[in-house]
Amino acid sequence: MAGGQNIFMTPSFKSLYVHFPFCESKCHYCDFYSLGREKTRDTDPAQFEAALLQECTLHQNSLSAQLDTLFFGGGTPSMTPPSSMERSLAPLKLQQRLTQQTEWTMEANPSSIDAENLTGYRALGVNRISMGVQSLKNSTLQNLGRVHDSQGVMQALETVFKSGFDNVSVDLLCGVPGQDLSDLERELEQLTAFPITHLSCYLLTLAPHHRMHSQLPHEDVQLEHLLLVDEWMVKKGFTHYEISNYCKPGKQARHNLAYWKGHSYLGLGPSAHSFDQVEKKRWKNVSSLHKYGQLLGQGTSPVEWSEVLTPEQLTLEKWMLALRLDDGFPESWLQSKHQRAKAAVFSEKGWIQKHPEKAGTLRLTARGFALSDQIVRALI
Ligand code: SF4
């Protein structure tokens, strides 16, 4: 790394992602690059801090003067004290790049919520918390390998709101073995009793060889789960603005919107992805904390691979991104006879509808969101 020189041709990223790879324990269903304590016994968090500091130095000229969004994800960023974050991120001079509008989200898990640390994160500039709840049923939480129980969730959410955060998202899973519709309804009721502004609800997906795969509910039941969540959240005044995401008015996850709209973002930390909208280029850091530290220690970039998207990849991404948002897509994109015929069938089934506010635009319905994989496959 040459004295903090920017290695990429297009600086001025307005969105920044930082990956914190530590977790209390590895959940049984997790595909993210994260290391439970059992794996990190020999890894000094100070080594990660030092490596991240080096990567931030490498990118000290990569960010825009004003940032739109920051997202600290993982892993469990709430296990890293704010003082450590401040030291490793210092070269980026984040405080100078924040505006009144900047959205700065930090993921947190109930088991690592600490009131003093929350005050420290707020002092850094974090103004949005995304809490990994996943379930409020203790047997399900245990089955999933989560380290918290439902009481821990309640206490953690109370602490977060008491600490002054008023933009709080929660992550919930549905379609989990052992979870029925009444469990799901109770979970939604308990979560929406808090003044949350956003909910992400994902269907549990597992690789075919996973020990719990055979216990996953039938796809008809999964559909019922997804439709129940839609009905409940809309009734509570949330907008279903993306396949798996609901928000109070104006509270979309703006960082994720940057991903879904194909904007540029810079990702730092092991396994982090980046995208440059101008060059149509994406790249990924190595998914190994050890290698990440080693490469940066040698003054080498931790990027594992990069690619410039082909026109075919760009078309596919355009469709995937447009279909996942309630903004929808222009009818004029349906160019072939096959596409128009498929769209007519989906419209008859109630999976696609004309956008109520945007003439000449189509969008998926709640049922369409639940079946979006099928729709994407058929239309592209
Ligand atoms: S807390 Fe999140 S990132 Fe960590 S192991 Fe569990 S699912 Fe993965």
Side-chain angles (χ1 to χ4, degrees):
M1 126 178 68
Q5 187 190 338
N6 180 34
I7 57 166
F8 300 105
M9 294 313 293
T10 315
S12 295
F13 290 94
K14 289 180 188 288
S15 288
L16 172 70
Y17 173 82
V18 184
H19 191 84
F20 292 82
F22 304 113
C23 282
E24 300 269 340
S25 173
K26 188 77 183 168
C27 301
H28 301 331
Y29 59 93
C30 178
D31 280 339
F32 297 112
Y33 175 65
S34 67
L35 302 159
R37 278 201 204 280
E38 59 276 10
K39 285 267 173 60
T40 48
R41 226 172 294 134
D42 301 329
T43 311
D44 181 358
Q47 286 174 2
F48 170 64
E49 183 185 308
L52 184 58
L53 173 72
Q54 283 165 312
E55 197 184 15
C56 289
T57 305
L58 181 67
H59 281 290
Q60 61 187 324
N61 299 319
S62 299
L63 297 177
S64 165
Q66 298 195 330
L67 287 171
D68 282 343
T69 65
L70 299 93
F71 195 103
F72 284 8
T76 305
S78 53
M79 285 174 64
T80 299
S83 54
S84 168
M85 290 178 177
E86 194 170 9
R87 284 191 295 272
S88 49
L89 298 166
L92 299 178
K93 297 189 171 57
L94 294 179
Q95 265 64 34
Q96 296 173 17
R97 302 177 197 274
L98 304 179
T99 72
Q100 291 289 333
Q101 280 72 44
T102 305
E103 175 195 273
W104 185 340
T105 304
M106 193 187 83
E107 287 186 325
N109 275 313
S111 50
S112 52
I113 285 295
D114 173 274
E116 201 179 313
N117 277 353
L118 286 172
T119 306
Y121 299 133
R122 268 170 62 82
L124 275 185
V126 177
N127 53 21
R128 185 172 182 274
I129 294 289
S130 174
M131 181 77 82
V133 171
Q134 315 312 353
S135 170
L136 287 168
K137 193 173 167 185
N138 287 341
S139 57
T140 302
L141 286 166
Q142 264 178 15
N143 220 3
L144 294 170
R146 303 289 297 177
V147 289
H148 60 261
D149 60 13
S150 63
Q151 201 190 350
V153 172
M154 296 295 138
Q155 281 164 356
L157 283 173
E158 269 168 35
T159 308
V160 166
F161 284 108
K162 267 194 203 145
S163 302
F165 285 96
D166 59 3
N167 197 5
V168 177
S169 178
V170 290
D171 281 1
L172 183 69
L173 286 169
C174 66
V176 179
Q179 179 191 42
D180 61 24
L181 286 175
S182 60
D183 293 329
L184 185 54
E185 194 162 347
R186 204 167 32 249
E187 288 167 328
L188 291 167
E189 189 167 6
Q190 285 176 278
L191 291 175
T192 51
F194 287 96
I196 59 168
T197 52
H198 191 276
L199 176 115
S200 302
C201 185
Y202 298 96
L203 201 57
L204 179 66
T205 51
L206 299 169
H209 59 267
H210 194 283
R211 68 176 170 82
M212 278 159 57
H213 186 268
S214 62
Q215 299 163 30
L216 286 174
H218 186 270
E219 56 187 31
D220 291 346
V221 177
Q222 294 179 336
L223 179 61
E224 279 178 359
H225 279 210
L226 293 170
L227 293 179
L228 171 75
V229 178
D230 173 79
E231 195 186 333
W232 180 277
M233 295 308 288
V234 170
K235 198 171 70 191
K236 290 284 177 185
F238 288 75
T239 302
H240 192 173
Y241 73 99
E242 195 269 346
I243 294 175
S244 309
N245 286 280
Y246 299 83
C247 70
K248 282 284 174 81
K251 296 294 185 185
Q252 286 91 344
R254 282 174 36 219
H255 186 83
N256 290 344
L257 275 181
Y259 297 158
W260 299 326
K261 294 196 167 181
H263 298 167
S264 300
Y265 55 90
L266 176 66
L268 304 178
S271 82
H273 286 79
S274 304
F275 181 64
D276 178 340
Q277 186 180 21
V278 177
E279 305 286 335
K280 310 286 180 226
K281 182 177 171 183
R282 66 179 163 209
W283 60 97
K284 179 185 167 289
N285 280 354
V286 287
S287 295
S288 155
L289 182 55
H290 177 70
K291 210 163 175 195
Y292 173 76
Q294 204 177 34
L295 288 168
L296 283 158
Q298 294 162 356
T300 312
S301 159
V303 172
E304 182 176 52
W305 57 257
S306 68
E307 64 177 353
V308 174
L309 300 189
T310 63
E312 292 74 28
Q313 283 174 308
L314 287 168
T315 305
L316 184 68
E317 294 234 334
K318 180 185 87 168
W319 270 104
M320 304 271 290
L321 297 173
L323 284 173
R324 66 187 309 156
L325 291 170
D326 72 344
D327 280 351
F329 62 94
E331 273 182 80
S332 58
W333 283 12
L334 299 171
Q335 288 186 345
S336 73
K337 218 168 147 185
H338 167 82
Q339 284 174 319
R340 286 194 294 274
K342 284 284 175 197
V345 172
F346 295 149
S347 167
E348 257 172 51
K349 289 185 173 190
W351 297 1
I352 282 185
Q353 63 179 185
K354 285 194 184 295
H355 198 292
E357 287 138 33
K358 288 159 75 181
T361 304
L362 297 172
R363 73 170 188 193
L364 301 196
T365 61
R367 195 170 278 268
F369 274 148
L371 299 163
S372 59
D373 283 353
Q374 275 184 55
I375 299 175
V376 170
R377 270 200 305 273
L379 287 182
I380 303 174

